[in-house]
Amino acid sequence: SGDEVGRVKLGGQLVSPVSGAYIAVIDERRVAVLDAEARPNRLALVDLEQWAVLRRSQLPSGSTFRNLAVGPRTGRFYVAGDRPTNQMTAFGSPANVAVLAVLGQDGEVIRTAVPRDPETTPGPVAPSDWSAYSIAAGARADWIYVSYHGPNTSGADSIANRGGRLVRCDSSGEGGVGCLQPVHGRVEIHGGGILASTGTPPRLVA
């Protein structure tokens, strides 16, 4: 019906709203919510029956996380974000580093990775702003997908979750494009692969 049934305060004060996937459903009773305004950012576990925060977990400092996914089988949390560097793009905006973090069911950070860094990206358009735009985790969470949508970046990367290491697909990112070049927008898990949008003109690719 659209009526409000509950409300819970997470703690952060919203200053500059930016699009992202801040909420992920765990089960019928619980959701995970990113508090991107807290410093450092936090991940809150919320009980939808009591409308209460069950737990807050601190995320790696220095980064802003705006994208969240939950592994459907593992129950782990996958968050993607970025942190600014001292470099500026040709558009006058910060050249951001993409940051990925994996948290266990208890909310503790298991591992982190930097899929893309403007300082290590070759090509004529440099430095690149690798702002993370969306994240998706496969059913077994053996593959994680992160897409980019900076002023001079696009595409997405597939990242293998192998033996405690996060291994990005093999691409230099030259020209500010990730491994999965047609992607320009969100990525979602579909079967054994992904569905993604391509921007303008609008297309759906698998």
Side-chain angles (χ1 to χ4, degrees), residues 7 23 36 38 40 43-44 70 80 90-91 98 100 104 112 125 129-130 132 145 149 154 157 160 169 174 188 192 197:
R7 180 179 296 190
I23 300 175
L43 179 68
V70 178
F91 300 90
L100 171 65
T112 60
V125 182
D129 175 12
W130 292 104
Y145 301 88
H149 204 300
S154 185
D157 284 332
C169 52
E174 185 171 358
E188 297 287 348
S197 56

Side-chain angles (χ1 to χ4, degrees), residues 25-178:
V25 176
I26 301 172
D27 51 40
E28 293 184 356
R29 179 174 177 173
R30 299 172 302 157
V31 296
V33 185
L34 278 176
D35 183 356
E37 296 301 329
R39 292 293 180 267
N41 290 177
R42 295 180 298 192
L43 179 68
L45 182 64
V46 178
D47 186 311
L48 296 178
E49 292 185 357
Q50 302 179 15
W51 286 100
V53 176
L54 301 176
R55 183 184 66 231
R56 290 182 175 89
S57 302
Q58 183 172 306
L59 298 176
S61 61
S63 301
T64 299
F65 295 95
R66 305 185 188 91
N67 299 281
L68 166 66
V70 178
R73 294 185 184 177
T74 64
R76 289 180 174 178
F77 304 100
Y78 303 86
V79 293
D82 40 72
R83 66 171 182 263
T85 67
N86 294 326
Q87 301 181 76
M88 302 294 287
T89 69
F91 300 90
S93 58
N96 289 306
V97 173
V99 181
L100 171 65
V102 181
L103 292 79
Q105 294 184 31
D106 58 0
E108 294 297 317
V109 176
I110 298 174
R111 61 188 66 98
T112 60
V114 175
R116 295 288 179 181
D117 186 331
E119 294 186 355
T120 59
T121 303
V125 182
S128 299
D129 175 12
W130 292 104
S131 294
Y133 188 74
S134 71
I135 186 171
R140 297 189 304 274
D142 48 357
W143 286 96
I144 305 163
Y145 301 88
V146 177
S147 68
Y148 308 103
H149 204 300
N152 58 353
T153 54
S154 185
D157 284 332
S158 55
I159 301 166
N161 194 2
R162 296 176 183 161
R165 296 173 52 234
L166 297 171
V167 183
R168 197 200 71 210
C169 52
D170 187 15
S171 168
S172 67
E174 185 171 358
V177 182

